[in-house]
Each structure stands twice: as C-alpha cells, then as structure tokens.
Amino acid sequence: MQESYAKASTLRRAMIDPELVLQGYRLGVFPMAMEDGTIEWFSPDPRAILPLDAFHLPHALRRVARKKSFEIKIDSNFSDVIEACAKREDTWINREIIESYMRLHDLGYAHSVEAWREGKLAGGLYGVAVGGAFFGESMFHRVTDASKIALVALVQRLQAKKFVLLDTQWLTPHLQQFGGIEISRSHYLRLLTRAVELPRKF
C-alpha cells in the first residue's frame, strides 16, 4: 500500500509538551520518532479507522474470548505496555516518545488495555483518548492472541463509553480482519472534529 504523509516540524526535546501532542491529535496529526532520533508529525491520507458500529470479531478469536483465558486490566501497568511496544527491530517509539506518553498517562489522556495470564502481562495496547475519540498507537503480545483480546476489550469499552471514533492511523491485514477500513483525510477530519468535542471519559 502506498503511504502518503503530511509532515510538520521536527522537535528535539527530551519530552514533547503534552498540550502540543493533544492539540496535534485534535487536528489530525501525531508524532513518530525517526531513525535519527528526531520527531516528525504525520497525517496519513488515506487514514485508517476501526468503525465501532461495524467491529468484526473473527470466529476463532470468539472461541478464545469465551474461554476467558486472559484477564483484562486497564491502566494497571502503562509503562510496561509502552516499553514492550517499543522493543522491536523496526520501531518509531524512542525514549522521547515513551516519556511524552508517560506524561500523557499521568495527566489522564494516555491509556493501556492489558491482557494478563497467570499473573503476567501477556500482551496489550496503548493509545490516547480525547473527547469521544481514541487514537490507537501500538500493541504487542508475548502470548498468542493476547494483543487481539486486548483490542476486543478496547472496542467493548469504547462502545460502552459511547465513543464514536477509533483511529488506527494505517491499515494492516491484522486490523482488516476486525473490520478496519481506510477513509480520506478530509472525511477523517470531519469525523474527528465532531468526536473530540464530545464529553466522554475513557
């Protein structure tokens, strides 16, 4: 898939100002670390979302969920989740990104959804909530299906809390199986403008 980016200014700081990150999300852009350690801002076109009213739970995963072999926790170990998401060969999560989102977590905007098994963190995801929008950032797993179960739990929580937008940035085969789609940036921005103004709490 051809990716097109709208890049903004590059920052060189130990931590990005939290309000700058939040304002970026409100305007449809998000930060990523480059190989040289600089931070750039992106607004993909097309943009990927996971429609909350059309979420598809694959049959095989439905069986896993019914077994309840994972315990779901929210925000119980945000730092371990983001550190685990960063531990891969090709990553855009550097120390500056980690510190920035840890601060957003302290302020009540960044959240983790975690799948635990036998007292150990098996997988999870993290993202940012602004109004009625949730911006999914990254996920990881140490046990098969753990990140998928965390995604299911995230969607269920967003549905229960009456969120209206789940932004996944780019579309992957992993997200397609759950009903992920691509929309134009202009369409995304229209949805975003409405979503961030809603009085919702994660």
Side-chain angles (χ1 to χ4, degrees):
M1 179 183 67
Q2 184 74 24
E3 293 178 351
S4 61
Y5 306 129
K7 299 184 180 180
S9 60
T10 299
L11 302 176
R12 293 178 181 273
R13 286 199 291 267
M15 184 181 75
I16 311 169
D17 180 79
E19 187 50 45
L20 179 60
V21 181
L22 294 174
Q23 186 62 13
Y25 280 116
R26 295 184 189 106
L27 296 174
V29 300
F30 54 87
M32 296 178 70
M34 302 294 99
E35 288 186 4
D36 63 359
T38 60
I39 302 295
E40 293 189 356
W41 296 77
F42 294 84
S43 180
D45 191 6
R47 186 79 166 231
I49 65 170
L50 210 170
L52 293 169
D53 59 355
F55 180 72
H56 172 68
L57 183 60
H59 183 71
L61 193 60
R62 188 176 294 115
R63 291 198 301 269
V64 175
R66 278 201 300 263
K67 290 180 181 178
K68 296 183 179 179
S69 53
F70 294 98
E71 178 186 3
I72 297 298
K73 297 182 181 181
I74 306 294
D75 290 338
S76 72
N77 205 332
F78 182 89
S79 60
D80 276 9
V81 171
I82 193 170
E83 292 279 1
C85 288
K87 288 182 179 177
R88 57 189 69 172
E89 288 187 14
D90 184 18
T91 183
W92 52 268
I93 306 172
N94 66 1
R95 182 52 49 185
E96 186 174 352
I97 291 289
I98 290 173
E99 294 300 325
S100 300
Y101 283 79
M102 286 292 296
R103 180 58 179 153
L104 286 176
H105 175 65
D106 292 340
L107 293 172
Y109 291 99
H111 303 279
S112 59
V113 180
E114 308 149 12
W116 292 71
R117 175 178 281 181
E118 296 177 355
K120 296 181 179 179
L121 182 61
L125 58 87
Y126 79 94
V128 174
V130 180
F134 189 91
F135 307 90
E137 285 295 324
S138 188
M139 58 176 57
F140 82 99
H141 72 274
R142 294 168 179 157
V143 176
T144 301
D145 291 328
S147 62
K148 295 177 182 178
I149 290 296
L151 178 59
V152 173
L154 169 66
V155 170
Q156 291 173 340
R157 188 176 187 88
L158 296 178
Q159 290 171 336
K161 298 289 185 176
K162 301 188 185 305
F163 277 61
V164 297
L165 179 62
L166 174 50
D167 171 24
T168 62
Q169 301 174 349
W170 288 286
L171 189 62
T172 65
H174 175 75
L175 293 170
Q176 277 184 302
Q177 67 178 313
F178 293 99
I181 61 172
E182 289 181 324
I183 60 176
S184 68
R185 183 190 293 131
S186 59
H187 184 193
Y188 171 78
L189 291 176
R190 288 194 296 271
L191 297 177
L192 177 68
T193 300
R194 171 176 171 261
V196 296
E197 295 300 324
L198 294 173
R200 302 288 188 269
K201 289 189 176 182
F202 184 80

